[in-house]
Amino acid sequence: SAAHSTLPLTNIASASFGLVLTTSAHKYNWPFPKGGAGNFTGALLDYYRSLGGEVILNTWVEDIRDLPNAYAYMFDLTPKQLLKIKGLNFNALYRKRMEAFHYGAGVFKVDWALSEPIPFTSEKCKKAATIHLG
């Protein structure tokens, strides 16, 4: 649970994430959207669209002027990738901080759709909804 902070586990602040997430799970259980986590994303996108938002996917943007006028844009990019987009008017201090960004450890998640349960030998593992392997 502490690793969800994305801070180094040697950082004392990462412990707070472990405490809050684990305490919440014991009190309220772990949240699982009906039909899978993709339904959570879908619900957020549906709500955003109901407010008049437009989602443009799988589009290479080299210049902000290539996009339709909008109050705000959201990019799924790292700071250094964002700096490569022309026409973004970041102030010098913000640009300097983005240029100095240090990438941390990579993290990824894989969800498997299995035809039968994993043959765990531990009864606790057989009952768990989520198991983290490292």
Side-chain angles (χ1 to χ4, degrees):
S1 293
H4 286 275
S5 72
T6 67
L7 297 169
L9 294 178
T10 54
N11 184 320
I12 195 166
S14 68
S16 66
F17 283 77
L19 290 171
V20 170
L21 290 173
T22 304
T23 301
S24 296
H26 282 287
K27 173 88 173 154
Y28 304 106
N29 296 318
W30 292 109
F32 292 100
K34 288 183 181 178
N39 287 339
F40 181 72
T41 304
L44 289 173
L45 289 172
D46 288 345
Y47 179 67
Y48 176 68
R49 289 180 182 118
S50 79
L51 299 173
E54 180 183 3
V55 179
I56 301 172
L57 302 172
N58 304 316
T59 303
W60 190 265
V61 178
E62 293 182 6
D63 192 311
I64 195 72
R65 293 169 289 227
D66 294 339
L67 296 175
N69 286 334
Y71 176 75
Y73 300 97
M74 291 188 294
F75 294 94
D76 184 18
L77 301 172
T78 68
K80 292 180 183 179
Q81 290 172 322
L82 191 59
L83 287 171
K84 292 180 182 178
I85 296 177
K86 297 174 188 163
L88 294 174
N89 297 318
F90 298 125
N91 69 47
L93 177 61
Y94 189 63
R95 182 173 288 281
K96 184 177 179 179
R97 288 181 177 172
M98 289 176 70
E99 288 168 349
F101 180 80
H102 294 287
Y103 293 94
V107 177
F108 72 95
K109 177 183 175 198
V110 177
D111 291 315
W112 296 88
L114 304 173
S115 61
E116 58 188 59
I118 297 172
F120 286 118
T121 55
S122 165
E123 288 302 315
K124 288 182 180 179
C125 289
K126 288 179 182 179
K127 294 177 183 176
T130 301
I131 298 191
H132 292 83
L133 303 173

